[in-house]
Amino acid sequence: MRKEDVPQDKSSLGSASFKELCYAVDENGEYITAKSTGWNPKKIALDNAIQEINERTERAMKRVVNNETSPIEYYMELNKMDVSILSSYVGVWSWRVKKHFKPSVFKKLSTKVLEKYAEVFNISVTELQQIKE
Amino acid sequence: MKIDFTHKQTAHCENGVVSNLMAYNGFPVSEPMVFGIGSGLLYCYIPFLKVNHAPAITYRVMPGQIFKKFAKRVGIKIKKEKFKNPKEAKARLDENLAQNNPVGLQVGVFNLAYFPDEYRFHFNAHNLVVYGKEDNSYLISDPIMEKVTKLTERELEKVRFAKGAFAPKGHIYYPIDFPKELDLKNAIIKGIKQTCKDMLAPIPILGVKGIKHVASLIRKWPKKHGVKKANHYLGQIVRMQEEIGTGGGGFRYIFAAFLQESSAILKNNKLAELSKEMTEIGNLWRDFALNASRIYKNRKALQDSYESVATQLDEIADREKVFFTQLKKTIK
């Protein structure tokens, strides 16, 4: 990559003011570093990834409303987690986390377990129980 | 208290922490030098590790390896510690700061307050330097940021004890013993030798063979997983290749810069030529990312377009095979 080719594409997201360092060659063929505001191919990939997460979160919300899953799954998606990440944060086996996705099991969870989840999601137990659309 | 530490922005966090800590201790070593001597360059497809619901591909060695190998090869000693108890982790950090010793920390980025929101994923192998403490806030030199920043005690504890793959467990590290002079020449040769060995390894998911393997997977993705998922996977590949930290082209430009610098140190012109070739290969990686982005941009891709990016990857693999074979001969 030549110095003048270091991309300066703009992002509409919060990272707009964020500049990263790239390596490029100057007119004498010497390596230099140059700041870049962004590059469209990866901006699109990042935007898509975020959209994907939003879609997953919305789907989880619908399933909570339809009583097909518990709010734990919704908050897991909202926090960009998957079952294995959530499992390591709450210190509960993955298969048990999956069980807690069942609305019937969720209703019977002890306050202690609910508190663990709430703490990880940075919300109160009430918020965890009464999910708002 | 504030240690007189010079913050310098780098492309990659681990290189940056090492380079900045070395400079603080009186040994200026560039980021590409750290990366090259630490044999940072790699290509590895890790199917069992899922990142953001897609298989992981890494363009560099495992977290912590660059510093470990760099230290061994130039003859410095590093002290490393992990903790179960956050209080102990904090105490050790405070001790070091009180002794005017800036330290490296491994952290997770999901709760890293100063990061832009959209970059905050559950990635636990980020590195930064703490160089002081003022009003219960730690002074942070994060190598990928333009300027220094701060984190409260609670914020720092959260990121030091992030959970999931590569959980940092409060990991703290700093150099403790230096030789009179760094033996860069031998270190460079060792670094290059290992990178050649890794990239040419006879293992299907590693190095040049790994690139070929991923090319063949890309051809199958649209049929096997449907266009939506195939595009998501492709987008993730580009992110792993180009997202903050690689300096462009999946670390190929940093590696080319390393070869250029090494050519002067070893007085070996062939390395300067190979640096140019590596720059060209880096450009090919950029082209691949650009074409891949055209596929996942409109979400209505044809089988042909997957075929064409896969062919591009095959070509890169062939060229890197020739490249690393030549590099190996040059350094012998």
Side-chain angles (χ1 to χ4, degrees):
Chain A
M1 183 162 57
R2 288 174 309 172
K3 195 171 135 192
E4 57 271 28
D5 296 334
V6 172
Q8 304 297 343
D9 296 339
K10 292 277 186 298
S11 163
S12 56
L13 300 161
S15 59
S17 62
F18 187 86
K19 284 192 199 126
E20 64 174 299
L21 207 69
C22 287
Y23 280 77
V25 283
D26 67 9
E27 50 282 359
N28 304 318
E30 295 292 322
Y31 259 95
I32 47 123
T33 56
K35 284 175 189 177
S36 164
T37 54
W39 191 37
N40 279 335
K42 58 178 178 172
K43 292 271 184 221
I44 302 165
L46 180 59
D47 291 351
N48 284 353
I50 288 166
Q51 201 186 329
E52 174 89 21
I53 290 166
N54 292 343
E55 284 168 15
R56 295 181 73 93
T57 313
E58 276 166 38
R59 278 203 299 274
M61 169 62 94
K62 272 185 197 144
R63 294 178 58 233
V64 175
V65 173
N66 294 338
N67 210 27
E68 290 161 9
T69 189
S70 77
I72 291 176
E73 189 175 1
Y74 164 74
Y75 281 109
M76 175 186 86
E77 297 291 356
L78 189 67
N79 284 280
K80 302 178 190 165
M81 294 176 171
D82 58 23
V83 174
S84 81
I85 294 171
L86 177 57
S87 140
S88 63
Y89 267 99
V90 284
V92 166
W93 292 102
S94 289
W95 61 270
R96 278 192 60 211
V97 170
K98 280 185 196 157
K99 259 192 149 177
H100 298 164
F101 287 176
K102 279 191 182 171
S104 55
V105 177
F106 178 73
K107 267 176 213 152
K108 287 180 204 150
L109 284 184
S110 69
T111 321
K112 211 177 140 195
V113 175
L114 287 172
E115 272 169 358
K116 268 201 222 168
Y117 280 108
E119 201 195 322
V120 168
F121 298 138
N122 217 355
I123 52 173
S124 67
V125 171
T126 327
E127 280 174 290
L128 181 61
Q129 285 167 318
Q130 296 170 349
I131 191 166
K132 278 184 212 141
E133 252 187 284
Chain B
M1 109 222 42
K2 186 174 176 180
I3 302 166
D4 187 17
F5 181 82
T6 311
H7 170 81
K8 198 174 163 214
Q9 190 187 12
T10 55
H12 186 254
C13 63
E14 190 175 336
N15 304 335
V17 164
V18 180
S19 173
N20 286 341
L21 283 179
M22 289 299 289
Y24 173 80
N25 286 291
F27 298 92
V29 186
S30 72
E31 167 173 29
M33 244 330 127
V34 171
F35 182 74
I37 290 174
S39 299
L41 194 80
L42 189 73
Y43 187 94
C44 188
Y45 168 67
I46 318 169
F48 52 83
L49 180 67
K50 290 275 192 287
V51 175
N52 199 10
H53 308 278
I57 289 164
T58 178
Y59 289 78
R60 59 151 179 142
V61 292
M62 293 272 285
Q65 290 296 309
I66 296 178
F67 196 8
K68 190 177 157 189
K69 286 181 179 146
F70 172 83
K72 198 176 150 198
R73 287 171 185 161
V74 300
I76 61 170
K77 283 200 184 99
I78 353 170
K79 169 100 177 150
K80 283 190 255 184
E81 247 182 307
K82 287 190 179 186
F83 303 87
K84 274 195 180 143
N85 184 343
K87 272 188 193 143
E88 278 174 36
K90 180 179 173 291
R92 184 73 80 252
L93 171 62
D94 291 343
E95 258 166 46
N96 273 287
L97 295 177
Q99 289 164 11
N100 258 327
N101 188 31
V103 293
L105 294 182
Q106 183 193 340
V107 298
V109 299
F110 185 67
N111 283 306
L112 209 50
Y114 56 79
F115 249 38
D117 247 359
E118 62 268 32
Y119 286 132
R120 287 163 62 175
F121 287 90
H122 293 276
F123 172 71
N124 285 333
H126 188 57
N127 295 276
L128 49 78
V129 171
V130 185
Y131 69 99
K133 197 176 182 184
E134 278 172 357
D135 308 328
N136 287 327
S137 276
Y138 287 102
L139 308 179
I140 309 288
S141 155
D142 185 324
I144 70 156
M145 304 296 288
E146 283 183 276
K147 295 203 173 81
V148 290
T149 173
K150 281 181 187 182
L151 286 174
T152 64
E153 287 186 350
R154 196 179 140 68
E155 283 169 341
L156 187 63
E157 182 183 312
K158 253 193 161 171
V159 293
R160 290 184 80 187
F161 285 87
K163 300 280 167 58
F166 303 118
K169 298 191 177 104
H171 191 187
I172 183 171
Y173 57 89
Y174 44 93
I176 44 169
D177 188 36
F178 300 88
K180 276 201 183 116
E181 223 177 302
L182 299 185
D183 179 12
L184 286 184
K185 284 183 184 169
N186 277 317
I188 289 170
I189 292 170
K190 280 181 191 157
I192 291 179
K193 272 189 181 163
Q194 179 170 5
T195 299
C196 291
K197 195 177 153 205
D198 289 347
M199 288 303 292
L200 298 169
I203 299 166
I205 56 165
L206 203 63
V208 170
K209 281 194 186 298
I211 303 173
K212 287 250 175 198
H213 184 69
V214 169
S216 73
L217 290 174
I218 290 176
R219 288 191 177 93
K220 290 176 205 154
W221 280 345
K223 263 197 187 150
K224 196 175 169 193
H225 301 298
V227 168
K228 194 172 154 57
K229 208 169 182 180
N231 286 359
H232 173 63
Y233 282 9
L234 213 49
Q236 288 301 113
I237 291 188
V238 171
R239 288 186 60 209
M240 289 176 274
Q241 182 187 313
E242 298 294 338
E243 200 80 282
I244 308 171
T246 78
F251 294 102
R252 267 59 184 174
Y253 295 138
I254 296 186
F255 192 70
F258 161 68
L259 292 179
Q260 192 173 64
E261 208 181 325
S262 301
S263 146
I265 294 172
L266 296 178
K267 298 183 181 65
N268 182 338
N269 269 335
K270 191 81 178 70
L271 287 181
E273 280 167 39
L274 284 168
S275 165
K276 279 182 197 154
E277 168 67 5
M278 189 84 271
T279 306
E280 295 285 319
I281 293 173
N283 292 343
L284 294 178
W285 282 103
R286 296 287 273 192
D287 290 345
F288 161 76
L290 187 64
N291 287 333
S293 75
R294 288 190 178 121
I295 299 177
Y296 56 72
K297 191 175 172 181
N298 45 34
R299 297 190 165 197
K300 269 180 276 172
L302 303 163
Q303 177 68 37
D304 285 8
S305 43
Y306 295 96
E307 186 63 43
S308 107
V309 288
T311 308
Q312 253 185 311
L313 269 191
D314 276 333
E315 284 164 14
I316 291 173
D318 291 339
R319 216 151 144 186
E320 291 207 341
K321 190 174 176 183
V322 175
F323 175 89
F324 286 106
T325 313
Q326 277 182 341
L327 184 58
K328 199 174 156 186
K329 273 187 202 153
T330 309
I331 211 73
K332 212 165 33 180

